[in-house]
């Protein structure tokens, strides 16, 4: 990764890259001391007030009620009010790494439905050390004003996320879960990591079950899930005998800063009335019973009334979808298009508050191209930008051989390693006809890249 002028705003990419390394080489107390000067800055009180006004104005444009609700709190002397908590946690408001850590710890607590419990200072300091170790070299080149803009954005987003969870704290379990799910979706867009599968300990963020995370996980957090044994490819081929049909449906997610986006996901309907929202692997590689135990939110019940499908999720919420009418469509197997692909596709995701009139924007793009003779190539990139700052990273292009059969796509890289994922073609029209402009790989949708 190349850390540029917007290093602080690109922390989602930074954490995604550092968690695996942290599991192998835990940070020691004081590991960030050498980089402390690089991430610190001299605060300008007038600039902080201006940054608060910008964020309030952005929220007002999107939701006048939310902007109005936040404004009285933002008019207070926040740094003075928060000073005792900063001292308790051992972090500084004039440090980019510390303020970024405050945001990501808050997001982790929210996604794990931790509300109203005092945060352990050791966890925040561990995250700050981890973040400082990565930010230090790039942030050192920034001016104080640029560092403050990044730190202010992280601090203010921390307060908003915390306020959202506190607002539903007394609203019942369902309301808390809905808010937790929304914040989890936002964090997933930024980090490309499910924070519910991540541990936070004294060494910072690590994959759940990793070497550095278990002992330091906060009390009451979910216990690490045991790693699933790798499935033998095709070991559950009998799953297909239970399938009524394969479809895809739309869903709405809430991005950072309140941005609302629409996406699509594949869904399998079983003859016994259950449905399964595809998690990624090919269906014949999935132990269905283990999936239901591990990921109950991916499962539910379905009924069909004419062309309308009624879906009931694991919490009993019912949604109705009319086939081929905007939110629910038939998916087709690879054979519908001749069993091969021959065009480039892309997937774009992002976050930030630029859609609200703010200055922060984060975007990621994955490109994958197929040739009819069975070859593929892919590349991915991500970037973040804000007022006077920008960051960009690109992974080297990779490629190899692919094969599609029914609802499975296999990728074999240059080293001979193969991975198998769910696959489907989209559809259009009534009655449904396959559409190669839209495909599903795993649980992600890709569209044609002109």
């Amino acid at each position: 990764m190349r850390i540029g002028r917007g290093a602080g705003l690109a922390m989602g990419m930074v954490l995604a890259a550092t968690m695996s390394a942290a599991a192998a080489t835990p940070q020691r107390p004081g590991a960030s001391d050498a980089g402390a000067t690089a991430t610190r800055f001299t605060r300008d009180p007038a600039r902080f007030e201006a940054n608060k006004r910008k964020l309030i104005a952005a929220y007002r444009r999107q939701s006048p009620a939310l902007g109005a609700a936040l404004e009285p709190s933002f008019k207070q002397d926040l740094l003075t009010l928060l000073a005792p908590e900063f001292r308790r946690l051992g972090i500084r408001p004039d440090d980019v790494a510390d303020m970024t850590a405050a945001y990501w710890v808050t997001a982790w607590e929210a996604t794990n439905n931790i509300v109203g419990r005092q945060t352990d200072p050791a966890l925040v300091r561990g995250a700050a050390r981890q973040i400082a170790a990565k930010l230090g070299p790039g942030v050192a080149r920034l001016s104080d004003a640029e560092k403050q803009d990044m730190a202010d954005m992280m601090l203010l987003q921390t307060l908003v996320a915390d306020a959202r969870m506190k607002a539903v704290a007394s609203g019942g379990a369902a309301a808390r879960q809905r808010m937790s799910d929304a914040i989890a979706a936002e964090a997933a867009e930024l980090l490309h990591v499910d924070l519910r599968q991540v541990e936070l300990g004294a060494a910072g963020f690590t994959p759940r079950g990793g070497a550095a995370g278990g002992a330091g996980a906060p009390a009451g957090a979910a216990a690490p899930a045991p790693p699933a044994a790798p499935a033998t490819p095709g070991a559950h081929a009998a799953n297909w005998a239970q399938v009524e049909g394969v479809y895809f449906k739309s869903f709405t997610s809430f991005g950072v800063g309140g941005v609302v986006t629409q996406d699509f996901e594949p869904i399998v309907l079983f003859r016994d009335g259950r449905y399964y929202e595809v998690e990624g692997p090919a269906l014949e590689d999935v132990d269905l019973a283990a999936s239901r135990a591990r990921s109950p939110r991916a499962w539910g019940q379905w009924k069909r009334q004419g062309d309308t499908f009624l879906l009931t999720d694991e919490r009993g919420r019912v949604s109705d979808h009319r086939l081929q009418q905007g939110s629910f469509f038939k998916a087709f197997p690879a054979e519908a298009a001749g069993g091969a692909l021959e065009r480039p596709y892309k997937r774009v995701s992002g976050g930030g508050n630029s859609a609200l009139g703010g200055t922060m924007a984060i975007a990621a793009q994955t490109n994958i191209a197929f040739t009819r003779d069975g070859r593929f190539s892919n590349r991915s990139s991500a970037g973040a930008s804000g007022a006077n700052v920008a960051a960009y990273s690109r992974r080297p292009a990779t490629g190899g051989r692919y094969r599609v059969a029914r609802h499975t796509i296999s990728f074999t890289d240059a080293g001979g390693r193969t991975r198998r994922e769910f696959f489907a073609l989209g559809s259009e029209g009534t009655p449904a006809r396959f559409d190669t402009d839209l495909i599903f790989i795993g649980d992600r949708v890709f569209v044609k890249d002109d």
Side-chain angles (χ1 to χ4, degrees):
M1 164 175 223
R2 180 171 62 85
I3 298 178
R5 289 169 59 82
L9 299 181
M11 269 314 302
M13 296 177 280
V14 171
L15 287 183
T18 61
M19 282 190 295
S20 59
T25 56
Q27 296 282 338
R28 298 184 303 275
S32 67
D33 290 347
T37 302
T39 58
R40 289 180 189 162
F41 58 93
T42 300
R43 272 197 164 275
D44 177 355
R47 194 173 193 88
F48 185 48
E49 294 304 314
N51 285 335
K52 288 195 292 183
R53 289 193 296 272
K54 288 178 184 177
L55 190 60
I56 286 294
Y59 275 110
R60 277 192 174 279
R61 284 189 288 272
Q62 176 68 17
S63 171
L66 179 57
L70 290 172
E71 189 167 18
S73 295
F74 273 36
K75 283 184 175 179
Q76 300 179 83
D77 184 353
L78 293 177
L79 295 179
T80 298
L81 291 173
L82 293 170
E85 183 66 3
F86 288 153
R87 286 194 295 270
R88 187 186 74 83
L89 294 173
I91 59 176
R92 300 169 55 126
D94 60 351
D95 190 294
V96 176
D98 285 359
M99 293 299 94
T100 304
Y103 173 68
W104 289 111
V105 170
T106 300
W108 181 86
E109 290 180 335
T111 60
N112 287 281
N113 215 340
I114 299 171
V115 185
R117 193 179 68 207
Q118 196 172 58
T119 302
D120 183 349
L123 303 181
V124 182
R125 289 197 293 268
R129 286 193 297 271
Q130 181 187 39
I131 291 167
K134 288 293 178 180
L135 284 186
V139 170
R141 297 190 294 270
L142 302 183
S143 67
D144 279 0
E146 290 170 327
K147 292 178 185 178
Q148 180 172 340
D149 284 344
M150 292 187 288
D152 286 353
M153 180 60 69
M154 294 295 100
L155 170 57
L156 296 173
Q157 293 285 14
T158 299
L159 298 178
V160 172
D162 184 62
R164 290 164 67 192
M165 288 302 293
K166 287 179 178 176
V168 297
S170 60
R176 290 195 299 272
Q177 189 63 52
R178 283 193 297 272
M179 185 62 74
S180 176
D181 290 346
I183 295 175
E186 296 167 8
E189 280 296 308
L190 279 171
L191 289 164
H192 302 287
V193 170
D194 181 355
L195 284 182
R196 288 170 175 149
Q197 299 302 317
V198 169
E199 297 209 27
L200 174 58
F205 292 97
T206 59
R208 190 169 289 282
T232 301
H236 302 282
N239 289 347
W240 283 107
Q242 307 175 49
V243 173
E244 184 280 336
V246 180
Y247 299 82
F248 63 98
K249 67 183 181 72
S250 67
F251 68 95
T252 300
S253 62
F254 298 89
V256 173
V259 178
V260 179
T261 60
Q262 187 177 48
D263 209 341
F264 294 93
E265 63 185 353
I267 181 171
V268 177
L269 306 187
F270 293 103
R271 292 185 177 132
D272 63 2
R274 297 173 301 157
Y275 73 73
Y276 164 63
E277 295 174 350
V278 171
E279 298 173 279
L283 188 67
E284 60 266 31
D285 298 341
V286 177
D287 182 329
L288 299 181
S291 171
R292 288 196 302 274
R294 180 185 65 250
S295 307
R297 286 184 298 167
W299 290 81
Q301 301 289 321
W302 71 276
K303 292 181 180 179
R304 182 170 184 173
Q305 298 176 350
D307 285 337
T308 298
F309 289 77
L310 302 176
L311 306 182
T312 304
D313 69 15
E314 88 287 355
R315 296 205 293 271
R317 298 176 299 183
V318 181
S319 58
D320 62 279
H321 307 268
R322 190 169 178 83
L323 185 63
Q324 303 299 123
Q325 296 297 313
S327 65
F328 199 81
F329 304 85
K330 180 176 175 59
F332 284 84
E335 285 70 17
L341 302 168
E342 52 179 343
R343 64 167 47 171
Y345 293 88
K346 66 182 178 182
R347 175 173 175 79
V348 179
S349 59
N353 65 1
S354 58
L356 306 180
T359 61
M360 179 180 176
I362 301 171
Q365 179 165 319
T366 301
N367 296 79
I368 184 165
F370 299 94
T371 60
R372 182 161 283 276
D373 65 358
R375 298 185 180 277
F376 79 93
S377 61
N378 63 15
R379 67 182 190 277
S380 61
S381 59
S385 64
N388 302 316
V389 293
Y392 179 77
S393 68
R394 173 180 288 177
R395 293 183 180 179
T398 60
R401 307 286 301 182
Y402 81 94
R403 180 176 179 272
V404 284
R406 296 186 65 198
H407 286 290
T408 298
I409 185 166
S410 301
F411 295 98
T412 302
D413 65 21
R417 295 176 292 271
T418 298
R419 75 178 192 276
R420 290 157 49 89
E421 297 188 69
F422 184 88
F423 176 83
L425 297 169
S427 68
E428 61 179 356
T430 305
R433 56 187 182 276
F434 74 88
D435 179 11
T436 58
D437 288 352
L438 183 148
I439 63 173
F440 291 89
I441 299 175
D443 59 351
R444 299 178 299 164
V445 64
F446 289 76
V447 298
K448 70 173 182 177
D449 188 5
D450 294 324

